[in-house]
C-alpha cells in the first residue's frame, strides 16, 4: 500500500476536481486520514458528517481508495487524528483523589486568574468573594453565586476560583462546565445508559463550577439531576460556584427549591465597568498580548464602546490586527480609522433622536412629552436623563442639545446633566435607569 | 463541428491568491496568520452579497487543510443545527451566512455551545454574515456578546476598476488572458455583481476552449449575442 498521505492526497485531488468546491470544503476537507494495515480510516468531525458521507460520497471514496491503494478499504468514524493545537494546556486533567473516583478534566482556561482580573468599583465585591472562595474552598461562601450581564467577567472570576484551587492543590478535582454542556452530558448519559457514570463523576468533585445557569430554565430533568448533585456536593463541603445573567429569584423556569438553595451562600453582582476600569482592562489585555497601547487610545476606545468587556476586547483586537499587519504604531487617529465601521454604527445608534425615542420607551412616555414644557417629575426626570445621555454619548454641544429638546437654553441642559450626575450618586434607582439606558444605546 | 471539451480546465479554487486584496490587505494577512499560526480566536467578516466573504472563508479552509471545515449555515436550515455538534474537533471553523440562523433559538444555542467549545479547545471561528454581529438580531445575548469578542472586518464592494482587476485575476487563475477592454465591455453590458460576472467567465472559459479563440470583444459578442 502507498503511504497514506500520498494515497489520501491522491484521492482528495480527484474528489476536489469532481465536487463543487463548497461541498468539498464541507464534507471532504475536514476528513483526517489515518493509516491502518489494509484500510484507510477517515475521521470525521461528527456523526452528521459520517452519515452524509455514507449516503452521498462513500461509494466514490471507496472506489478511489481501492484504485490508488491496491484494493485498500475505507472506514469512516467520528474523531480526530490528534488533539487541536492548543488543547493540551486547556485541558488540565485533575488526578483522582480516591482510587474509585473517575478521572476528570477541569476544562479550565489557565489564562483566567485573579492576577489578571482587572478590579474596579463595578466588580470589587465579586472579585473579593471569589478570591476568598479560591483560598478556602467549601468553607467561606458556598455556593458562590455571581450574576450580571453578558461579557462582564463572570466566567473569568469563576474559573479564577478553579485555577486558584488547582494552584494550591494540583490534585483537587475541579470541573468547570457550561450549563448547556451539563445538560448535554446528562442527555447523553440517559441515551447511552451511562447516567450512573455521569452522577458519579459530578458527585465526586471537590469543586463544581457551572456557568450561565439561566440555561437550566425549563429543563426539569436537568434541574432535578443538578439538585441532587448540588445537595451531594454541599453535604460533602465541596465548593459550588454558579454564574447567571440575573439575580436567582428572577430566573423564570427554575424550580423554587433550586432558587432558594442558590441563596444559601453568597450572591454577588458584577456591573458594567466604569470608564476607568474599562481603560485598565484594555491596558491589561494589550499588555498581555505584548502590545504597547497608549493610554489615550485606551480612553478613546473605552469612551466609545460602553456595552461590555467582550466588545471592548473585539475592538482592541481589531486595532491590534491593523497595527500588526500594516506596521503602523497605534494612535487615536489610527484607532479611529481601524474602528471606523464599528463607530459609524454606534453613531447611528446614538443620535439625539434615538436617545429621545429610547428614553421615552423606557419610561413609557411620549417623545412629545420630552420636548414639551411640562415640568412634572415623571416627565422632567426622564428629560434630564435623556439630555445627560445626549451629552455623554454624542458630540453635540449644549446649545444643540437644548435646541433638540424643544428649544431649551443651554444652561437648562447643563443643570439637567449636573442634576442627574448628582442623583446617580445618591439614588440607586436613577443610577440603575441611567445604566440600563446607556447599555441599551451602546450595546 | 464543435471541438469536444475535455475536463482539462485549470482548477479555479477559492484560494487567497485568486482574491483581489485591494483594500482588504489587513483582513487577508490576519486570516493567513490565523490559519497558519493558529493565532487569535478568529474574526467576524461582514459585507454585502458578492463581496468575497465565501471566497475568503473557503480560502481559509483550503489553507487549513484537514484542520478546517467550511459550513454554509443557510444550507443547513432544514437539516438543523446537528451539523455543529462536535465541530470543535477541527481547529479552524469557517461559518458562512451566520445571519441566516439569527433569531432561531435552536441554532443560536448550538452556535453558543460551539463557540465556547472552540475557544476552550484553543481553536478559531471565522464567521461571515451580511451585517455586523450587532445587527444580526440574535435572540441570545450571550451569543451576540461572544461574537462581539471577535475582531470585525467589513468587506467593501469593489468599484469599477476593482471589478475589472478581480475579473482579470480570476481569468488568469484559469490560464486565460482577459484584456481590459473586454472586461470593461462585459461590465457595461451585464449584471455587475461579482457572482454574475464570474458565472459569465465560466461560460467564456468553456466557449473559448471549444472555439480555440482569445477573449476579444468580437468573440465575447458572438458568445453573448443576446447581450447587445
Amino acid at each position: 500500500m502507498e503511504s497514506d498521505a500520498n494515497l489520501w492526497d491522491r484521492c482528495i485531488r480527484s474528489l476536489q476536481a469532481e465536487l463543487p468546491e463548497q461541498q468539498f470544503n464541507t464534507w471532504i476537507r475536514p476528513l483526517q486520514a489515518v493509516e491502518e494495515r489494509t484500510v484507510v480510516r477517515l475521521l470525521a468531525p461528527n456523526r452528521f458528517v459520517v452519515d452524509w458521507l455514507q449516503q452521498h460520497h462513500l461509494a466514490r471514496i471507496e472506489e478511489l481508495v481501492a484504485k490508488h491503494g491496491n484494493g485498500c478499504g475505507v472506514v469512516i468514524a467520528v474523531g480526530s487524528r490528534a488533539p487541536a493545537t492548543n488543547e493540551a494546556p486547556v485541558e488540565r486533567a485533575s488526578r483522582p483523589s480516591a482510587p474509585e473516583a473517575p478521572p476528570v478534566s477541569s476544562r479550565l482556561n489557565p489564562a483566567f486568574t485573579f492576577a489578571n482580573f482587572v478590579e474596579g468599583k463595578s466588580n470589587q465585591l465579586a472579585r473579593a468573594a471569589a478570591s476568598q472562595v479560591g483560598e478556602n474552598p467549601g468553607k467561606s461562601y458556598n455556593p458562590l453565586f455571581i450574576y450580571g450581564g453578558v461579557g462582564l467577567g463572570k466566567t473569568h472570576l469563576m474559573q479564577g476560583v478553579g485555577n486558584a484551587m488547582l494552584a494550591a492543590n494540583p490534585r483537587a478535582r475541579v470541573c468547570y462546565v457550561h450549563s448547556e454542556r451539563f445538560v448535554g452530558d446528562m442527555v447523553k448519559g440517559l441515551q447511552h445508559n451511562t447516567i450512573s457514570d455521569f452522577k458519579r463523576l459530578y458527585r465526586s468533585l471537590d469543586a463544581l463550577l457551572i456557568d450561565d445557569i439561566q440555561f437550566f430554565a425549563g429543563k426539569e430533568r436537568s434541574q432535578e439531576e443538578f439538585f441532587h448533585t448540588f445537595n451531594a456536593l454541599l453535604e460533602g463541603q465541596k465548593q459550588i460556584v454558579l454564574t447567571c445573567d440575573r439575580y436567582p429569584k428572577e430566573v423564570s423556569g427554575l424550580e423554587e427549591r433550586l432558587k432558594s438553595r442558590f441563596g444559601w451562600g453568597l450572591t454577588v453582582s458584577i456591573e458594567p465597568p466604569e470608564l476607568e476600569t474599562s481603560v485598565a482592562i484594555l491596558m491589561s489585555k494589550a499588555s498581555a498580548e505584548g502590545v504597547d497601547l497608549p493610554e489615550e487610545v485606551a480612553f478613546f476606545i473605552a469612551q466609545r464602546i460602553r456595552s461590555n468587556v467582550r466588545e471592548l476586547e473585539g475592538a482592541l483586537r481589531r486595532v491590534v490586527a491593523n497595527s500588526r499587519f500594516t506596521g503602523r504604531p497605534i494612535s487615536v487617529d489610527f484607532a479611529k480609522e481601524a474602528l471606523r465601521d464599528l463607530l459609524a454604527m454606534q453613531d447611528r445608534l446614538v443620535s439625539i433622536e434615538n436617545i429621545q425615542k429610547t428614553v421615552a420607551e423606557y419610561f413609557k412616555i411620549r417623545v412629545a412629552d420630552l420636548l414639551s414644557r411640562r415640568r412634572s417629575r415623571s416627565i422632567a426626570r426622564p428629560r434630564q436623563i435623556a439630555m445627560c445621555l445626549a451629552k455623554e454619548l454624542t458630540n453635540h454641544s449644549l446649545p444643540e442639545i437644548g435646541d433638540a429638546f424643544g428649544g431649551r437654553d443651554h444652561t437648562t441642559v447643563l443643570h439637567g446633566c449636573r442634576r442627574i450626575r448628582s442623583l446617580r450618586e445618591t439614588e440607586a434607582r436613577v443610577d440603575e435607569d441611567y445604566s440600563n439606558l446607556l447599555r441599551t444605546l451602546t450595546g | 463541428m464543435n471541438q469536444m471539451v475535455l475536463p482539462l480546465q485549470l482548477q479555479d479554487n477559492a484560494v487567497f491568491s485568486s482574491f483581489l486584496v485591494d483594500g482588504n490587505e489587513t483582513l487577508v494577512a490576519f486570516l493567513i496568520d490565523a490559519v497558519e499560526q493558529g493565532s487569535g480566536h478568529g474574526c467576524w467578516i461582514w459585507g454585502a452579497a458578492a463581496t468575497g466573504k465565501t471566497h475568503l472563508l473557503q480560502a481559509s479552509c483550503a489553507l487549513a487543510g484537514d484542520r478546517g471545515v467550511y459550513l454554509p449555515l443557510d444550507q443547513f436550515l432544514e437539516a438543523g443545527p446537528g451539523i455543529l455538534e462536535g465541530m470543535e474537533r477541527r481547529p479552524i471553523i469557517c461559518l458562512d451566512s451566520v445571519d441566516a440562523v439569527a433569531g432561531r433559538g435552536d441554532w443560536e444555542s448550538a452556535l453558543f455551545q460551539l463557540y465556547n467549545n472552540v475557544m476552550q479547545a484553543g481553536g478559531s471561528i471565522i464567521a461571515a454574515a451580511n451585517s455586523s454581529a450587532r445587527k444580526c438580531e440574535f435572540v441570545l445575548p450571550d451569543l451576540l456578546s461572544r461574537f462581539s469578542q471577535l475582531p470585525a472586518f467589513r468587506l467593501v464592494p469593489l468599484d469599477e476598476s476593482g471589478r475589472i482587476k478581480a475579473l482579470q485575476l480570476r481569468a488568469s487563475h484559469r490560464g486565460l488572458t482577459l484584456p481590459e477592454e473586454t472586461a470593461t465591455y462585459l461590465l457595461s453590458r451585464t449584471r455587475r455583481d461579482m457572482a454574475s460576472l464570474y458565472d459569465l467567465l465560466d461560460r467564456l472559459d468553456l466557449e473559448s476552449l471549444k472555439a480555440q479563440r482569445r477573449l476579444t470583444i468580437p468573440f465575447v459578442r458572438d458568445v453573448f449575442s443576446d447581450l447587445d
Side-chain angles (χ1 to χ4, degrees), chain A residues 276-288:
Chain A
E276 292 75 9
T277 311
S278 295
V279 170
I281 290 170
L282 283 169
M283 301 291 287
S284 154
K285 287 195 182 295
S287 152

Side-chain angles (χ1 to χ4, degrees), chain A residues 226-378:
Chain A
F226 177 62
F227 178 75
H228 294 303
T229 304
F230 186 98
N231 288 340
L233 291 177
L234 232 57
E235 269 170 31
Q237 289 192 305
K238 306 298 183 189
Q239 182 65 46
I240 295 173
V241 185
L242 307 166
T243 71
C244 187
D245 67 349
R246 68 203 78 169
Y247 190 67
K249 301 267 181 219
E250 289 172 9
V251 186
S252 54
L254 266 193
E255 284 183 37
E256 283 306 319
R257 58 180 181 166
L258 269 181
K259 287 185 191 175
S260 91
R261 272 166 174 74
F262 291 160
W264 283 0
L266 179 69
T267 301
V268 283
S269 72
I270 294 193
E271 300 294 326
E274 59 282 11
L275 182 65
E276 292 75 9
T277 311
S278 295
V279 170
I281 290 170
L282 283 169
M283 301 291 287
S284 154
K285 287 195 182 295
S287 152
E289 296 207 10
V291 173
D292 182 20
L293 183 72
E295 200 172 80
E296 66 268 24
V297 178
F299 261 100
F300 169 75
I301 299 174
Q303 266 166 341
R304 300 301 302 265
I305 291 162
R306 308 292 288 269
S307 50
N308 63 53
V309 178
R310 287 205 184 94
E311 199 160 348
L312 271 182
E313 211 174 339
L316 175 68
R317 285 175 178 169
R318 180 68 165 89
V319 172
V320 170
N322 270 34
S323 169
R324 181 184 298 165
F325 296 113
T326 60
R328 288 168 57 197
I330 298 173
S331 65
V332 171
D333 284 342
F334 182 83
K336 270 185 195 165
E337 175 62 23
L339 301 176
R340 192 181 47 204
D341 297 317
L342 185 66
L343 299 179
M345 201 164 53
Q346 194 118 301
D347 287 344
R348 278 196 296 278
L349 209 61
V350 293
S351 64
I352 294 184
E353 291 72 25
N354 197 29
I355 290 172
Q356 290 170 336
K357 188 169 156 278
T358 308
V359 171
E361 275 170 14
Y362 183 86
F363 288 105
K364 297 185 173 48
I365 58 177
R366 296 172 309 149
V367 172
D369 293 329
L370 289 177
L371 311 187
S372 74
R373 297 277 139 198
R374 291 176 60 189
R375 297 172 69 175
S376 63
R377 180 176 284 196
S378 63

